[in-house]
Amino acid sequence: FDNQIKPTDCERDVWNQVNAVLQDSESILSGLQAYKGAGQEIREAIQNPNDMILQERAWNSVCPLVIRLKKLYGFSLRLERALQSLLESLTCPPYTPTQHLEKEQALAKQFAEILHFTLRFDELKMRIPAIQNDFSYYRRTISRNRINNMNLDIEREVNNEMANRMSLFYAEATPMLKTLSTATTNFVTENKTLPLENTTDVLSTMASVCKVMLETPDYTCRFNSEDTLLFCMRVMVGVIILYDHVHPNGAFNKSSKIDMKGCIKVLKEQPADNVEGLLNALKFTTKHLHDESTPKNIRSMLQ
């Protein structure tokens, strides 16, 4: 996790395909981080419904933002396809999940990088309420069609069907995690001949590797930077969430192959600022936390 890994010949095709997506991930995060929103312009337009100059100013502020939001949403679709390609490679017979992770370390690292990006994206998105406000204003304005002559060319860029899909995406508290959870669930559903354990064991093995690295000083002292520590924590939480969505009994059940108590404990030992978003992700984006079969001590650790 701390170093760049070169793909082997048998990994190269999938690695290149996924790398083309991951290369854009930093610019996607920068674009999201720089998102300022059009709150002021929208407020003024709503407060002065008859002032066409203010209506036009709000509309012209929102349109470029909607184009940017479409780009972010489009990236989630690319990420979904990349994840499914990696799952196909890391779960196919005849190898066990552990053998796959040992033989295809470059792909395993890319899988981890996708999860790392996903949790960073969602942590940022949670802090930007302007996204949903801007998009709601855009949709209201389009549907009323009051501003007849104003840049309605945008409907060719973001038609009603696209707007509906974007609306569902941004309504999620953690839209990228939701995308990946759905993609992993679909992968399992569509590959009926593939044993479920092939997928869940890859996820639980990665969770165990991250937990052991985080709780073992001999490993953490060898990390090049604190970023590697954060990387391991995000990957661990990401694979737990995917496991919880895909496995019928979830990650919190006593029969789970993930040591949830150990994973939560290792997170709680980190500085609160580093793990608040990750603990919230476990609380709010998992599927089985509140099942009756979840041990009470696990539930209380996340309260």
Side-chain angles (χ1 to χ4, degrees):
F1 280 175
D2 217 13
N3 303 304
Q4 285 302 320
I5 305 169
K6 286 189 175 158
T8 60
D9 288 344
C10 66
E11 294 173 283
R12 189 160 279 109
D13 284 351
V14 173
W15 189 90
N16 285 339
Q17 178 199 332
V18 175
N19 190 51
V21 178
L22 284 170
Q23 277 181 331
D24 294 335
S25 62
E26 286 302 322
S27 69
I28 291 290
L29 287 172
S30 303
L32 182 60
Q33 206 157 12
Y35 193 96
K36 291 290 179 275
Q40 178 73 26
E41 292 89 341
I42 289 169
R43 269 192 305 278
E44 287 174 355
I46 290 170
Q47 285 163 5
N48 303 278
N50 298 321
D51 187 329
M52 292 314 289
I53 290 173
L54 291 177
Q55 305 307 310
E56 190 167 347
R57 186 182 298 159
W59 181 247
N60 289 339
S61 300
V62 163
C63 283
L65 295 172
V66 169
I67 301 293
R68 196 189 304 181
L69 292 176
K70 182 190 174 187
K71 183 184 174 188
L72 300 180
Y73 169 68
F75 187 76
S76 78
L77 303 179
R78 293 174 63 204
L79 205 65
E80 184 179 352
R81 289 191 291 273
L83 180 86
Q84 290 192 314
S85 297
L86 289 173
L87 284 171
E88 280 169 23
S89 298
L90 293 170
T91 59
C92 62
Y95 302 112
T96 66
T98 306
Q99 286 170 327
H100 269 299
L101 293 173
E102 285 171 353
K103 281 168 61 64
E104 293 149 89
Q105 291 193 18
L107 298 186
K109 172 78 183 282
Q110 285 186 321
F111 189 83
E113 284 172 338
I114 285 177
L115 292 168
H116 181 233
F117 162 82
T118 295
L119 281 138
R120 287 166 73 202
F121 182 97
D122 286 347
E123 280 168 21
L124 283 171
K125 187 265 177 186
M126 277 181 169
R127 298 189 206 125
I128 311 174
I131 288 176
Q132 277 174 277
N133 296 339
D134 294 348
F135 201 65
S136 295
Y137 177 79
Y138 168 77
R139 299 208 70 191
R140 286 198 308 272
T141 307
I142 283 281
S143 63
R144 283 200 312 263
N145 203 10
R146 280 173 49 200
I147 310 177
N148 289 321
N149 306 315
M150 274 193 217
N151 194 16
L152 287 181
D153 293 350
I154 192 167
E155 287 203 80
R156 285 200 285 274
E157 285 264 5
V158 182
N159 62 25
N160 202 41
E161 186 193 345
M162 172 61 76
N164 285 336
R165 294 205 303 266
M166 286 169 65
S167 197
L168 288 170
F169 177 76
Y170 287 112
E172 294 287 343
T174 52
M176 284 287 177
L177 261 176
K178 173 70 175 173
T179 299
L180 295 198
S181 300
T182 305
T184 310
T185 305
N186 290 346
F187 172 79
V188 168
T189 310
E190 288 159 15
N191 291 275
K192 289 187 168 55
T193 56
L194 190 74
L196 175 68
E197 292 72 34
N198 285 33
T199 304
T200 54
D201 285 0
V202 164
L203 300 173
S204 59
T205 303
M206 287 183 75
S208 300
V209 167
C210 291
K211 180 182 81 79
V212 168
M213 284 201 292
L214 288 165
E215 69 188 2
T216 310
D218 281 358
Y219 291 132
T220 50
C221 72
R222 299 208 311 254
F223 288 167
N224 288 331
S225 71
E226 192 194 4
D227 286 349
T228 309
L229 201 68
L230 287 167
F231 183 87
C232 282
M233 289 192 288
R234 288 192 181 111
V235 173
M236 183 177 77
V237 168
V239 288
I240 288 169
I241 290 165
L242 295 188
Y243 183 101
D244 193 56
H245 278 262
V246 170
H247 198 288
N249 300 327
F252 300 95
N253 193 288
K254 280 181 181 167
S255 64
S256 164
K257 289 189 178 177
I258 297 178
D259 170 15
M260 284 305 304
K261 189 177 175 184
C263 290
I264 297 167
K265 181 171 174 282
V266 97
L267 287 175
K268 291 202 150 187
E269 285 167 356
Q270 306 300 324
D273 286 354
N274 287 351
V275 295
E276 186 187 2
L278 297 176
L279 290 169
N280 282 339
L282 288 177
K283 280 185 217 174
F284 302 123
T285 61
T286 46
K287 192 176 173 184
H288 294 277
L289 175 61
H290 298 292
D291 288 5
E292 282 182 22
S293 59
T294 299
K296 285 192 172 71
N297 64 330
I298 301 279
R299 227 177 297 173
S300 64
M301 285 176 87
L302 282 174
Q303 275 169 358

